[in-house]
Amino acid sequence: MQQWATDLGFAAMGISDANPEQHADHLHHWLAKNRHGEMGYMANGEALRRDPSALHNGTTRVVSLRMNYWQDDTQALEVLEQSDKAYLSRYALGRDYHKLIRARLATMAKKMQAYVDAHLELPCHSRPFVDSAPVLERGFAEKAGLGWIGKNTMLINSTVGSWFFLGELLTNIPLPIDAPQRNKHCGSCTACLDICPTNAFSGPFELDARKCISYLTIELKGEIPVQYRKAIGNRVFGCDDCQLICPWNKFAQATDEKDFKPRHGLDNSALLSLFLWTESEFEQRTRGSAIRRIGYQRWLRNLAVALGNSSGGRDVIDALKAKKDFSELVRIHVEWALTQLENNRMPL
Ligand code: B12
């Protein structure tokens, strides 16, 4: 199976039973404190997250797989430091990972099925999941020995860091179970907690999603609360600060996936040029990308906030004033941006 996983582009694979144990309790407390904000699917799916067999009947094993997405040449820190450039989370620069990973997992499931059909007399079935299904992915990956859940809540592996996606197969094939990762290797380091621009960690191992820039720029549908707008800086789609600072990520392994390569220069674009995209340009340039799910108006909302945090200039102010194809939601953020730029103008 390891060889199939490698052939399909996965960097590692591990198998656990289907009991999420303490991870389900952590989820319960997290939800009870409303840390999920508007992500209703997190609360609605709690029962399924507790019991994978309710999601896929007969599940006794979770096969967890990880796929790297880090790219050495995307100059993450340099872009983050330039207030006129747009920082997009490194996971979102190329093709939407959901599509790619689900397809690979489905192929893996077929290979497993063919093997079982040929060698065992068992009625077997497996089902692929990635991200959007109610599965406690990091918890199962930790149980399967793929790494530990760090203080930044990322699954971290001591040989490659945390720049990877997770996906899994829920199956009833009685596969041998791997040893879980029992120790966390964050030590006394709190770099991720300290660097978070919006102080989104309520403590180690617990993120208050309502404050996380990833949530504010991707999940939140309405207005971005004013108190977070400055801290968002130039981050227009997600945030990577708690990974960029993590010492384990000096071991990051670059991905071989051509489909994850940045499209349309999104790894290093000027905020203004993205803000000037028309709706049809947005539709066309985000086809097959994870960015598309926020839609054009939220894209403009995020860019308006970032432009309010930029060095401004005549072109930026003119563009903010001139753009007409936007909603009330965007207008509110454009007005905020113009006020920011006005306040920041150096006295002559
Ligand atoms: C909802 C969600 C979000 C939310 C909330 C994130 C969060 N930390 O809960 C938001 C929108 C903010 C988000 C952001 C991001 N996400 Co997200 N997200 C998810 C999703 C759909 C569910 C996560 C979840 O269950 N959260 C609930 C909390 C309770 O669970 P948890 O975060 O896993 O936390 C565990 C620990 O913190 C632990 N715990 C809690 N308290 C305590 C206390 C102690 C003492 C201990 C020991 C443990 C512990 O219990 C939890 C369960 O094990 C998963 C996919 C999935 N189906 O699992 C992807 C997923 C976690 N996201 C992912 C990614 C890549 C990101 C971003 C990097 C994207 C970006 N650049 O913007 C950021 C990272 C932010 C961060 N530090 O988490 C990847 C993570 C891969 C990895 N290496 O870990 C996943 C697995 C998607 C995937 N299939 O690859 N995400």
Side-chain angles (χ1 to χ4, degrees), residues 64 78 122 146 155 160 195 226 245 287 313:
S64 294
E78 290 83 342
L122 275 175
L146 292 188
L155 192 83
V160 298
I195 197 144
V226 177
I245 197 75
R287 193 165 293 146

Side-chain angles (χ1 to χ4, degrees), residues 219-253:
E219 299 291 329
L220 184 71
K221 297 200 169 57
E223 270 180 57
I224 297 178
V226 177
Q227 72 263 35
Y228 302 126
R229 292 186 195 164
K230 270 192 172 182
I232 284 174
N234 62 348
R235 299 168 190 82
V236 299
F237 191 88
C239 176
D240 288 327
D241 286 32
C242 65
Q243 297 197 86
L244 287 167
I245 197 75
C246 176
W248 289 105
N249 274 329
K250 64 173 178 273
F251 302 120
Q253 265 172 23

Side-chain angles (χ1 to χ4, degrees), residues 307-329:
L307 284 170
N309 295 324
S310 73
S311 64
R314 192 36 54 208
D315 290 353
V316 168
I317 292 175
D318 287 349
L320 284 165
K321 286 186 175 160
K323 203 154 173 67
K324 295 277 177 269
D325 54 344
F326 56 60
S327 61
E328 177 65 9
L329 174 73

Side-chain angles (χ1 to χ4, degrees), residues 23 26-27 30 39 41-42 49 69 89 91 97 130-133 135-139 149 152-155 162 164-167 184 201 204-207 209 212 214-215 218-219 238-240 242-243:
H23 300 292
H26 291 143
L27 171 70
W30 188 76
M39 295 183 290
Y41 60 87
M42 289 302 299
R49 279 174 217 268
Y69 65 86
S89 287
Y91 86 86
Y97 70 98
V130 50
D131 189 50
S132 45
V135 178
L136 277 163
E137 296 190 326
R138 299 199 259 216
I149 297 175
N152 60 1
T153 78
M154 297 302 295
L155 192 83
S162 63
F164 52 80
F165 300 118
L166 293 172
K184 297 193 185 284
F201 293 99
F205 315 108
E206 195 181 83
L207 180 78
C212 173
S214 180
Y215 170 85
I218 303 174
E219 299 291 329
C239 176
D240 288 327
C242 65
Q243 297 197 86

